[in-house]
Amino acid sequence: MIHARGLVQTFHTGKGKNRKAVQAVNGVDLDVEEGEVVGFLGPNGAGKTTTLRMLTTLLTPTAGTATVAGYDVVTQSVQVRRSIGYVSQVGSTFSGAYAGDEVVDHGMLYGMRRPAAIARGHELFEQLQLDGLWKRMPKNMSGGQKRRLDIAMGLIHDPTLVFLDEPTTGLDPQARANLWEHIEGLRSRKGATVFLTTHYLDEADVLADRIIIIDKGDIVASDTSDNLKAQVSGDLVDLEVAGDNQVAIARDKLASISDSVEVEGHHVRGRVARAGRVVPGLLRDLDAAGVSLDSIEVARPTLDDVFLTLTGRSLRDAEADATPEGPADPGDPPYDEAGPDSGTTSPALEGADR
């Protein structure tokens, strides 16, 4: 469904002597098969949305090739746009139009007849908890309501390949859970392929068949969530001892079953393979040595642990610290002045036959 080889995107910042090239994506190869739900993870500025925008024809690759739904993203861009659904990071609704009209017009851009677009729009409004908002303007909606309207626009034409760029940003927990069910249904009921970028690790863990991680423009991992977690060396065992004089003993006991142990105050932590099998023996040894514990916690590896292992930093930390990819030079392929990751245009409106 998606096949890319050597995708490169280079932007230019500054002018004159200060002009420099910034390579946001460095020769990315990726494959997504029909019916897969793929989670695409990475910090801001890692090339996540830039890659997605190349695959949806909103950016022309500097180098490399890609086919989406069987069509070349450069030479057959209109066919690609007709074959996909796309929900951008910040949405593309017009604040002064009625919500229902926005959705219906979007469907008609994809070739739907008005009655079919109206019927499908009402169905999506009910599913996405937008009941009663058909005649409301987006400027008078809450942030969560506008986000759900963006998603309705992306799904109006029942696409078999859907690109969702951080779709649940700004949604409350109930709305997020509702959207998760809808994304699951895209594949289970309609056989759709879903390419999902997100900063919510639990979202990727629950929804995605496979996780792809990009960092600094390079793909650093591609596997199932369970397999990626298995690459992290063991469960995290956190011992909180009762007194200062017991820290050294607890450290030595934990070091007998862990390759790396760290101490922070009264907390002694280490990664332990198959912790469920060996922790009971550790507790007996600690008790025999006179060590009293205030608490013990055993945590299975998470996707954030995976990111830390692969890149040397936490995804959450990287998310907060990263600087967004720089703005493009006017001579580069067109996109919003806010930068290549702004995601403000819908493929249905970008160069399609109208």
Side-chain angles (χ1 to χ4, degrees):
M1 189 61 80
I2 302 173
H3 303 286
R5 291 294 177 269
L7 275 188
V8 174
Q9 186 58 247
T10 303
F11 300 108
H12 294 88
T13 62
K15 296 182 179 179
K17 293 181 179 179
N18 295 323
R19 181 178 170 87
K20 64 177 181 179
V22 178
Q23 192 156 304
V25 176
N26 308 319
V28 160
D29 296 340
L30 61 85
D31 296 285
V32 177
E33 301 305 322
E34 185 174 354
E36 268 196 302
V37 178
V38 170
F40 198 40
L41 303 182
N44 291 326
K48 224 176 34 270
T49 299
T50 298
T51 300
L52 185 147
R53 286 169 67 80
M54 286 190 284
L55 295 175
T56 56
T57 78
L58 295 178
L59 281 176
T60 302
T62 305
T65 61
T67 59
V68 172
Y71 300 106
D72 186 277
V73 296
V74 176
T75 63
Q76 297 173 298
S77 57
V78 172
Q79 290 93 323
V80 171
R81 294 167 191 154
R82 287 174 174 166
S83 303
I84 66 173
Y86 174 59
V87 178
S88 71
Q89 263 186 8
V90 295
S92 57
T93 55
F94 174 51
S95 62
Y98 288 129
D101 290 344
E102 276 283 85
V103 171
V104 170
D105 288 348
H106 208 72
M108 292 177 68
L109 282 170
Y110 279 104
M112 297 179 71
R113 293 185 179 275
R114 179 174 288 274
I118 292 173
R120 174 64 176 153
H122 280 293
E123 178 186 345
L124 286 169
F125 269 49
E126 181 180 354
Q127 291 175 348
L128 295 171
Q129 299 176 333
L130 292 170
D131 308 65
L133 301 181
W134 190 267
K135 289 294 185 180
R136 184 175 297 182
M137 294 181 179
K139 65 182 179 182
N140 297 322
M141 292 180 170
S142 68
Q145 289 169 340
K146 285 189 286 188
R147 194 64 185 140
R148 297 198 297 276
L149 178 60
D150 291 328
I151 292 161
M153 290 175 65
L155 300 180
I156 183 65
H157 58 300
D158 272 332
T160 55
L161 172 57
V162 184
F163 290 90
L164 302 176
D165 196 4
E166 301 185 27
T168 60
T169 299
L171 298 186
D172 59 56
Q174 182 179 3
R176 280 186 72 207
N178 174 268
L179 182 58
W180 284 11
E181 291 180 7
H182 200 70
I183 293 172
E184 288 273 17
L186 287 174
R187 194 260 305 277
S188 61
R189 294 193 300 270
K190 300 181 181 296
T193 305
V194 180
F195 192 88
L196 169 74
T197 75
T198 180
H199 277 147
Y200 296 115
L201 297 171
D202 58 335
E203 188 164 274
D205 213 355
V206 169
L207 295 175
D209 302 313
R210 185 160 54 93
I211 304 292
I212 299 174
I213 298 177
I214 188 170
D215 186 40
K216 298 177 182 176
D218 294 309
I219 302 294
V220 296
S222 176
D223 210 332
T224 66
S225 178
D226 286 344
N227 286 346
L228 289 174
K229 291 175 187 177
Q231 296 176 23
V232 179
S233 54
D235 305 321
L236 180 64
V237 177
D238 185 342
L239 306 173
E240 184 182 6
V241 300
D244 294 340
N245 61 332
Q246 299 177 345
V247 170
I249 301 172
R251 181 195 61 211
D252 292 342
K253 295 295 183 183
L254 184 56
S256 67
I257 58 173
S258 174
D259 293 333
S260 60
V261 175
E262 61 179 33
V263 175
E264 181 181 352
H266 285 184
H267 285 269
V268 181
R269 304 184 183 94
R271 290 278 176 191
V272 177
R274 299 178 179 176
R277 297 184 180 183
V278 298
V279 164
L282 172 65
L283 294 178
R284 288 193 293 269
D285 290 345
L286 291 171
D287 184 57
V291 175
S292 299
L293 296 179
D294 286 339
S295 67
I296 176 172
E297 182 177 350
V298 179
R300 300 298 304 274
T302 65
L303 286 179
D304 199 55
D305 295 325
V306 170
F307 197 89
L308 180 63
T309 300
L310 292 170
T311 69
R313 52 188 173 150
S314 165
L315 178 57
R316 296 185 183 91
D317 293 342
E319 188 180 321
D321 297 342
T323 56
E325 296 158 22
D329 183 83
D332 286 331
Y335 56 81
D336 188 88
E337 289 182 356
D341 273 3
S342 59
T344 57
T345 308
S346 166
L349 304 176
E350 187 80 13
D353 293 342
R354 283 174 261 182

